[in-house]
Amino acid sequence: MIPHPATQQPLPDETFTLTPDASIGSTDSAVRTIAERLAAQLRRSTGFGLPVRTGAGTITLSTDGADSLGTEGYELRADSSGVTITGATAEGVFRGVTTLRQLLPAQIEAAGVQDGPWEIAGTTISDAPRYGYRGVMLDVTRHFFTVDQVKRFIELVSRYKINRLHLHLTDDQGWRIQVDSWPRLTEYGGSLQVGGGAGGAYTKADFAEIVRYAGEHYITVVPEIDTPGHTNAALASYPELTADGVAPELYTGTKVGFSSLASGKERTYEFLADVFREVAEQTSGDLVHLGGDEAHVTPHEDYLTFVPKAAQLVVDQGKRVMGWHEIADAPLPAGTIVQYWGTEDEKAQALAVKAVEQGATLVLSPANRAYLDMKYDEDTPLGLQWAGLVSVEQSYDWNPATLIPGVPATAIDGVEAPLWTETLDDLAKVEYMVFPRLPGIAELGWSPESALDWKRYRDRLAGQGPRWEALGVNYHRSAEIDWA
Ligand code: TNX
């Protein structure tokens, strides 16, 4: 099972078997839709009727109990008489259902009816996460991904108890979210992508569907509007945002660090006020990510005045600020989350310390560990390697609590695995880079430190292979894992 639960005990002599007469019960309306979606999934591969009823069933979902386990915690018991999943909230029950699916045989994930038997060795589990922020990032600007592709991505990552989807929505190569007050951002700024092919952008209805679907999987969307660098698509659409008033060409290459909003112009902040307002309106979560990375052509003094002004515009919308670790050089509003993407470099580490000194908390995305766009090894046909090669072991075998010298464990909100898509133009390629590394990052975010052990994790990871086969996931059959 991945992530490994906080505590699990076997119930010797007990076996649960899902049989054709089984039902799914929900004790209250809060978990009814979770029960209905579970039933729909199990019907496909079992062929059973699996009626959903109010009250107890063969599998019972309940929010009556487990109060001490927090919003995401749950208790699960599987014995000869049935399965019960209890959380203090519907979210906790949902996390428990992801565990149930992994307890069932891999063929449960097949699209068509399979033979079974559908057995679970008797067990009790009491589970709750180590960290509250367990994210994945998808870059939809270097290459655009459709709503349906993002939904499949959400469904796959939700199985590992990921609870944040950071969408990198704007960059030099494309602006991908509708802003009605600045329509050329998507009309023109979203028209291309890396390599020069057609890009795309989400309408407000599209984005609402992504937010809704993520919410159904208890995942909160964190929208990123990257500023003041990584803004060529915006500058090409609205030359008034550039320092010299001249629009650059649209850009379809993969260089970074060459563009900047005009940080000295009032128009820039009017623009950002509009953008953050419309983006905040489209988000259900409490975070808006303002980027802040690699602003190499923004004079540093200007950057230091830009960041607090942009951050205030996010706060004005009632949202908390998130940003890449460079923003920590500037004063930050209360409640800011700083996303660390350094490797072992002292400059990045110093910024992380500076972030914490001013009261910010950290989400850890160390590029040499958590970057899903880094090649696994020299032979990986996709991806980049500026942060080194990131094998499955390298991505798993580190401790968030002690990663950055001088940062106390209490300052860590969690972990996030970013996927940049310069080299990834379809979902099969995305899946190849995400699986099997993402489950390891998810486990670092969820499981207690005592459960983390590379050798034992390897064996558990091997067990995910047949699930991905059943789901048609294009995972990388890394030689580090004994998939047989
Ligand atoms: C650096 S990491 C970037 C991105 C690139 C990525 C490629 C970060 C905050 N910025 O613009 O896509 O490297 O790995």
Side-chain angles (χ1 to χ4, degrees):
M1 215 186 310
I2 300 175
H4 195 287
T7 61
Q8 177 175 21
Q9 256 92 48
L11 292 173
D13 309 325
E14 298 272 351
T15 301
F16 169 73
T17 308
L18 189 70
T19 53
D21 59 348
S23 61
I24 302 194
S26 68
T27 60
D28 50 276
S29 54
V31 289
R32 174 93 192 184
T33 52
I34 299 174
E36 269 157 10
R37 284 190 295 116
L38 173 62
Q41 288 155 355
L42 300 184
R43 280 176 200 133
R44 289 196 308 173
S45 50
T46 62
F48 302 163
L50 298 172
V52 177
R53 53 172 67 125
T54 302
T58 316
I59 298 171
T60 304
L61 310 185
S62 167
T63 50
D64 191 11
D67 291 341
S68 64
L69 294 173
T71 46
E72 291 193 279
Y74 66 93
E75 282 164 357
L76 183 152
R77 180 183 171 94
D79 61 25
S80 305
S81 63
V83 175
T84 55
I85 298 173
T86 309
T89 68
E91 185 173 1
V93 172
F94 179 81
R95 304 289 174 229
V97 166
T98 65
T99 298
L100 171 63
R101 290 176 72 170
Q102 289 196 28
L103 288 170
L104 285 160
Q107 289 311 311
I108 202 72
E109 303 301 351
V113 176
Q114 307 290 310
D115 284 343
W118 306 108
E119 291 180 351
I120 298 175
T123 188
T124 60
I125 292 171
S126 178
D127 203 7
R130 179 181 183 188
Y131 295 113
Y133 190 117
R134 304 177 309 281
V136 64
M137 188 204 85
L138 182 62
D139 168 7
V140 296
T141 161
R142 271 54 178 271
H143 284 101
F144 182 65
F145 293 88
T146 64
V147 173
D148 282 343
Q149 290 174 320
V150 174
K151 284 166 77 170
R152 174 166 164 97
F153 184 83
I154 288 169
E155 202 283 320
L156 292 174
V157 304
S158 75
R159 293 159 178 273
Y160 299 97
K161 299 182 170 60
I162 290 292
N163 67 357
R164 297 284 184 280
L165 172 65
H166 171 181
L167 287 176
H168 184 73
L169 292 164
T170 67
D171 211 304
D172 293 318
Q173 296 86 348
W175 188 286
R176 310 295 184 205
I177 185 169
Q178 180 70 32
V179 177
D180 291 337
S181 51
W182 296 74
R184 266 174 68 80
L185 290 171
T186 47
E187 281 166 16
Y188 181 66
S191 57
L192 300 180
Q193 61 180 0
V194 165
Y202 305 120
T203 64
K204 289 199 169 174
D206 289 339
F207 202 75
E209 175 59 9
I210 291 172
V211 168
R212 184 201 66 76
Y213 189 81
E216 195 175 276
H217 293 75
Y218 292 87
I219 290 176
T220 303
V221 172
V222 179
E224 179 185 352
I225 304 299
D226 204 348
T227 68
H230 289 280
T231 42
N232 190 75
L235 304 176
S237 307
Y238 290 100
E240 63 205 274
L241 302 174
T242 67
D244 60 8
V246 178
E249 305 270 292
L250 291 174
Y251 181 69
T252 59
T254 61
K255 289 202 209 79
V256 296
F258 61 86
S259 57
S260 180
L261 293 168
S263 50
K265 281 189 177 174
E266 218 22 65
R267 193 71 182 131
T268 293
Y269 300 97
E270 290 166 10
F271 165 73
L272 288 177
D274 288 337
V275 168
F276 288 142
R277 183 185 69 253
E278 292 198 38
V279 170
E281 281 166 6
Q282 295 182 63
T283 320
S284 57
D286 69 343
L287 291 167
V288 170
H289 199 303
L290 53 69
D293 59 313
E294 298 176 319
H296 301 323
V297 296
T298 316
H300 197 59
E301 283 312 305
D302 296 356
Y303 181 85
L304 295 179
T305 52
F306 172 88
V307 168
K309 287 174 84 169
Q312 184 56 44
L313 295 172
V314 169
V315 171
D316 289 347
Q317 297 305 321
K319 303 290 184 184
R320 293 166 64 199
V321 172
M322 186 159 174
W324 299 105
H325 67 236
E326 287 97 320
I327 68 167
D329 220 11
L332 299 170
T336 297
I337 296 182
V338 167
Q339 184 168 10
Y340 179 79
W341 62 281
T343 52
E344 259 110 60
D345 55 305
E346 282 168 23
K347 214 174 146 203
Q349 291 176 340
L351 286 167
V353 170
K354 197 166 174 183
V356 175
E357 279 169 0
Q358 55 170 318
T361 51
L362 297 176
V363 164
L364 303 179
S365 304
N368 58 336
R369 301 284 190 178
Y371 266 32
L372 299 173
D373 66 316
M374 291 299 124
K375 291 178 183 289
Y376 292 93
D377 56 42
E378 294 288 355
D379 298 329
T380 309
L382 306 167
L384 306 175
Q385 60 181 103
W386 65 262
L389 299 169
V390 179
S391 66
V392 182
E393 179 174 4
Q394 168 79 3
S395 69
Y396 177 79
D397 203 8
W398 58 284
N399 184 353
T402 56
L403 181 77
I404 309 173
V407 167
T410 50
I412 310 296
D413 283 335
V415 291
E416 182 182 294
L419 183 66
W420 304 97
T421 58
E422 286 93 334
T423 66
L424 312 171
D425 59 4
D426 67 34
L427 200 58
K429 292 176 186 171
V430 164
E431 290 174 5
Y432 186 84
M433 302 307 275
V434 170
F435 299 103
R437 286 181 294 197
L438 178 72
I441 303 295
E443 174 152 307
L444 294 180
W446 181 280
S447 306
E449 215 176 313
S450 59
L452 307 176
D453 175 82
W454 163 245
K455 292 221 170 64
R456 275 175 291 173
Y457 174 72
R458 265 178 90 223
D459 293 340
R460 286 186 285 118
L461 188 54
Q464 299 299 304
R467 287 171 197 278
W468 295 329
E469 305 280 350
L471 289 161
V473 173
N474 183 38
Y475 68 102
H476 169 51
R477 277 96 174 148
S478 164
E480 298 168 80
I481 310 300
D482 193 358
W483 297 105

